[in-house]
Every structure is written in C-alpha cells, then in structure tokens.
Amino acid sequence: MLRKALLAALIPLSAAAAELPIFDAHLHYSHDTWETVPPKEAIAVLRKAGVKRALVSSSGDEGQQRLAAEAPDLIILELRPYRSRVDARTWFRDDTIIPYLEQRLKQFSYAGIGEFHLYGADAELLVPRRVVQLAKHYGLLMHAHSDAEAVERLFVQWPQARILWAHAGFERPDRVREMLRKHPSLWCDLAFRPDPAQGGKVDPEWRKAFLEFPDRFVLGTDTYTPERWHYIPEHAAWARAWLADLPPEIAERIAWRNGEALVAPKK
Ligand SMILES: [Zn+2]
C-alpha cells in the first residue's frame, strides 16, 4: 500500500501524459498463468493499465491463443520456440522444436517469433538457423533475449531481419546506441530495466539514446511469472511518469507508436 501511495505522489502528470496509451511488447502468458489469472481477468488488467496493444507469447502457445480469443483487438501473437518452460534451456539444440514451430505457423498468424533465449555462438547451431529461415519465410520479427554477439550472428544469417532485442540486451545505453547505429532494423524493448529513469526523471545516458533513436525503443513488462500480471498497471504508470520527462512526441513513440510500426503489416 505504501508503495501505491508513493507511486501516486510521484505521478502529478498532465492529463495528456496520464492518458498515454501503452503498447506492451514483452508479455508472456503460460499455462501456470492462466490457472491463476484467467483470460478475462488478464484482459481486464491490461485494459485497466491502459495497454492498448500487447505482443504476447507463451510456452506451449495456448495461453496467448486464449487471450487473443478474448480480445483480438488487443493481443498480438508471437510464437515462442518453447513447448514448456524447460525448453528455454535446450531449444537451440533440440530439433523437435522445428516441426512444432512449423505446425503452429501453418495454423495461426503471428507477428513474430520469440521471445527466445540465445547467446553467443549458439546462434550458429542448426535449430536457430532454421528458426531464422522460418522467420524469413513468414516475414516475422525475431524477439531475441540475447547478448550482442548472438544478435550480430543473427544479422549475418539474415541481414534484413527485424530483431526486437529483449531488455536491450541488458547492455549499457552507450553500447545499445552503438548497436542501433550499426543495425537499422534493430529495436529494443525496455522490459525489466529499472535504469532508464528514477523518480520520474530520465537517466541522462538513456535520454541520449532516446533522442538519437526515438523510433527504436518499445516498452515491456515481462510477465515471466504469473504474479507479474498484477504488476502491469503499476509498470504502465511508472513508464508514463518517466515518459512525461521526454518531449511529448518521443514519449508517444516509445509508449505505443513504435510498437505499432513494428507489427504493422509490411507493404
Ligand atoms: Zn521475457
């Protein structure tokens, strides 16, 4: 409760900033979540938070399908190469992942493939290579929880790839800027990063990144555990508070316009 009161005190926002719609580009909704936060409740949480659109993936793929059935206007599907949580540690060496992905891709329409965990030279293994080919074939965004090295290796395999770099690789803003300069089709989600702002003030190093690349950042809550679904409204409020410290046009882009551009059908 104290945390809530504190948060309210930190958000003396203008009406415009308070109403800023949010595109949440990093949500998961796996089987252990729909048991504790059923689809109707999950959608209500998103609406309460002012999340207008959300890029959602889930291990097993079923959770997000349930959400999409509940709110097709809100949920954008992303296909994760995990049938269950344990696949996160082994998928890149497991060739049974490929027929699973192929079957899902035939059945449903996705905006992206991911979020997947992939580091360093593992990006050269046969399964990730095949995933890149599938992304290319279906024109999908790749959502990579990766170090810079794996991102580089993915771009070598497919120079025109569109990669959403989860958590901005947990890299420092100057390194993030280097990567964005080098790769014009790289975007960063800011999920699970407290460092872009403190007390509603944008960190000076991050400000430089946002001003240099206003089109390349998106927000994300990262609901990797069921409890984090209840954190979505608080996260949205926190994001609106620090976005209000940026020029309004840039705030709008990071809040939702960039996310929309990222998933817009290619012409
Ligand atoms: Zn995640």
Side-chain angles (χ1 to χ4, degrees), residues 196-216:
Q198 260 195 342
K201 287 281 162 217
V202 174
D203 170 84
E205 288 305 309
W206 275 108
R207 180 181 294 274
K208 285 183 204 163
F210 298 147
L211 296 181
E212 186 178 353
F213 296 103
D215 294 333
R216 313 275 287 281

Side-chain angles (χ1 to χ4, degrees), residues 31-192:
H31 62 94
D32 47 359
T33 305
W34 83 63
E35 282 157 13
T36 46
V37 190
K40 269 194 198 324
E41 200 181 314
I43 295 299
V45 168
L46 292 173
R47 298 217 192 270
K48 180 181 157 209
V51 172
K52 301 298 183 206
R53 301 255 280 164
L55 188 59
V56 188
S57 65
S58 48
S59 301
D61 203 48
E62 196 185 332
Q64 54 163 330
Q65 304 292 353
R66 292 183 185 212
L67 285 185
E70 195 66 44
D73 57 314
L74 176 51
I75 302 299
I76 303 159
L77 299 176
E78 198 180 26
L79 177 59
R80 214 167 198 200
Y82 307 163
R83 293 152 301 190
S84 72
R85 271 177 201 283
V86 293
D87 281 339
R89 285 187 297 255
T90 51
W91 73 275
F92 42 88
R93 293 182 189 279
D94 180 351
D95 56 16
T96 64
I97 292 291
I98 297 301
Y100 166 72
L101 294 177
E102 286 172 338
Q103 183 260 321
R104 299 308 286 189
L105 286 164
K106 278 188 193 129
Q107 202 177 347
F108 298 101
S109 183
Y110 299 91
I113 200 155
E115 177 208 18
F116 53 74
H117 297 76
L118 188 65
Y119 302 95
D122 285 348
E124 306 296 339
L125 293 167
L126 281 174
V127 174
R129 281 188 172 276
R130 186 74 188 109
V131 164
V132 172
Q133 290 304 315
L134 284 172
K136 194 172 178 178
H137 181 79
Y138 285 92
L140 303 175
L141 178 74
M142 291 193 288
H143 195 175
H145 182 137
S146 293
D147 53 8
E149 184 189 343
V151 169
E152 298 283 7
R153 288 174 186 270
L154 292 172
F155 274 124
V156 170
Q157 291 172 43
W158 181 19
Q160 292 77 33
R162 294 176 308 131
I163 297 181
L164 176 57
W165 199 12
H167 318 286
F170 289 114
E171 286 286 359
R172 289 178 11 208
D174 56 340
R175 178 76 177 115
V176 171
R177 287 162 72 198
E178 266 174 41
M179 287 291 281
L180 289 172
R181 266 180 225 131
K182 190 169 171 191
H183 300 290
S185 58
L186 178 66
W187 286 262
C188 294
D189 84 43
L190 296 166
F192 212 71

